[in-house]
Amino acid sequence: MTDKNRLRIAVQKKGRLSDESIKLLKAIGVKLSIRDRLLIAHSTNLPIDLLLVRDDDIPGLVMDGIADLGFIGENELEEKMLERQASNEPAEYKTLKRLEYGGCRLSIAVPNEFDYKGLESLNQTKIATTYPYLLKRFLVANNINAQPVMLTGSVEVAPRAGIAEAICDLVSTGATLEANGLEEATEIFVSKAVLIQKSEALTAEKQKLVDTLLPRINGVMQAKE
Ligand code: PRT
Ligand code: ZN
């Protein structure tokens, strides 16, 4: 059960942002009792509940005002915002803090044998991606006539499978591209994890709690420098 008087924070349940987000909450004094498989976790010392969900769901939960705060990658956040704007759904949020983890870039990559000579080489290609809105925005801004092909997984094998000539995917070390015979052609979006808040005002008590937590996040981040 959740209590609407408790601050609700959406956190990725399992994945690249989970551990760091939970670690940060603990570092700022939020004691948590997290049990596997549950969607909700309660803080044992503060009026805070965590919603443990897939990262894809976090921007929408905050934009719909169901979660008060959320830890999310900017790539996912911006994509969801563009998707919602395109269908006239609520897409508002406030960024409280850009964090120091989850760093990656969204890049277009092509097979090693692709004769890439600059962006114009991408004209008339199909580009497989999980981020069609971010890709489309880049293509339009650069006047490239390519077709995004939506894939929710295995994007890096799309060229070999004959589904697309290029891909647009997240890169951190570059090892995945290399292992799949792909080369980065151009970076289109740089991302880190961020802490966001719903745009609608919080109750005074919840806002007060957020106002005490934020300086602690700054403190933890400064201590790491
Ligand atoms: O199950 P759920 O939907 O919650 O998780 P998910 O599988 O969608 O996401 P997850 O946990 O993989 O990533 C969550 C967030 O972490 C992303 O939205 C980014 O903000 C951030 N992040 C940082 C990354 C990476 N680095 C990253 N390298 N997300 C994914 N990758 C993948 C990339 O897609 C590619 O397959 O890692 C591979 C490339 O890595 P390198 O090191 O080989 O270049
Ligand atoms: Zn996801």
Side-chain angles (χ1 to χ4, degrees):
M1 274 291 288
T2 63
D3 174 342
K4 65 179 174 27
N5 297 315
R6 292 168 70 86
L7 189 74
R8 270 191 212 168
I9 308 180
V11 179
Q12 187 186 25
K13 186 178 176 70
K14 194 165 175 288
R16 289 169 194 262
L17 303 179
S18 313
D19 289 353
E20 292 284 343
S21 303
I22 300 285
K23 209 165 89 187
L24 181 56
L25 284 169
K26 289 185 173 168
I28 61 171
V30 182
K31 295 205 171 108
L32 294 163
S33 137
I34 297 179
R35 273 180 292 158
D36 275 356
R37 295 169 173 275
L38 290 185
L39 171 68
I40 200 118
H42 305 288
S43 166
T44 50
N45 64 329
L46 289 167
I48 294 176
D49 289 333
L50 300 195
L51 292 179
L52 298 162
V53 293
R54 289 199 57 185
D55 70 338
D56 314 52
D57 297 335
I58 294 174
L61 286 169
V62 174
M63 290 166 185
D64 288 334
I66 294 159
D68 299 310
L69 306 186
F71 288 94
I72 185 66
E74 289 170 305
N75 53 301
E76 203 63 55
L77 178 61
E78 187 86 355
E79 176 72 13
K80 185 62 76 176
M81 189 193 75
L82 295 173
E83 183 189 325
R84 284 183 160 232
Q85 283 174 344
S87 54
N88 281 319
E89 287 176 87
E92 308 289 312
Y93 64 88
K94 297 184 227 174
T95 300
L96 296 183
K97 191 80 199 158
R98 193 165 199 240
L99 303 164
E100 279 162 343
Y101 57 91
C104 57
R105 53 196 190 271
L106 184 64
S107 290
I108 296 178
V110 294
N112 297 330
E113 60 279 9
F114 187 109
D115 188 18
Y116 183 77
K117 293 204 177 68
L119 288 180
E120 60 283 359
S121 302
L122 297 170
N123 273 313
Q124 319 307 330
T125 59
K126 291 193 284 303
I127 307 178
T129 190
T130 310
Y131 298 92
Y133 286 92
L134 285 169
L135 174 59
K136 195 91 198 163
R137 180 170 74 179
F138 176 84
L139 295 174
V140 168
N142 289 281
N143 217 4
I144 305 296
N145 181 20
Q147 185 193 338
V149 176
M150 174 67 180
L151 284 182
T152 56
S154 307
V155 171
E156 66 281 355
V157 302
R160 256 184 294 148
I163 293 171
E165 287 76 33
I167 70 162
C168 173
D169 200 7
L170 297 175
V171 183
S172 48
T173 62
T176 303
L177 293 184
E178 205 186 325
N180 287 282
L182 299 164
E183 281 168 25
E184 214 167 336
T186 187
E187 183 179 285
I188 74 165
F189 188 81
V190 177
S191 179
K192 280 193 171 186
V194 282
L195 176 60
I196 57 169
Q197 180 174 325
K198 68 178 182 182
S199 65
E200 188 195 327
L202 301 179
T203 61
E205 297 78 46
K206 284 188 183 182
Q207 189 58 55
K208 216 168 115 193
L209 179 55
V210 172
D211 292 343
T212 62
L213 296 178
L214 258 193
R216 295 189 200 170
I217 294 182
N218 292 333
V220 169
M221 284 172 67
Q222 271 161 18
K224 277 195 184 160
E225 275 171 10

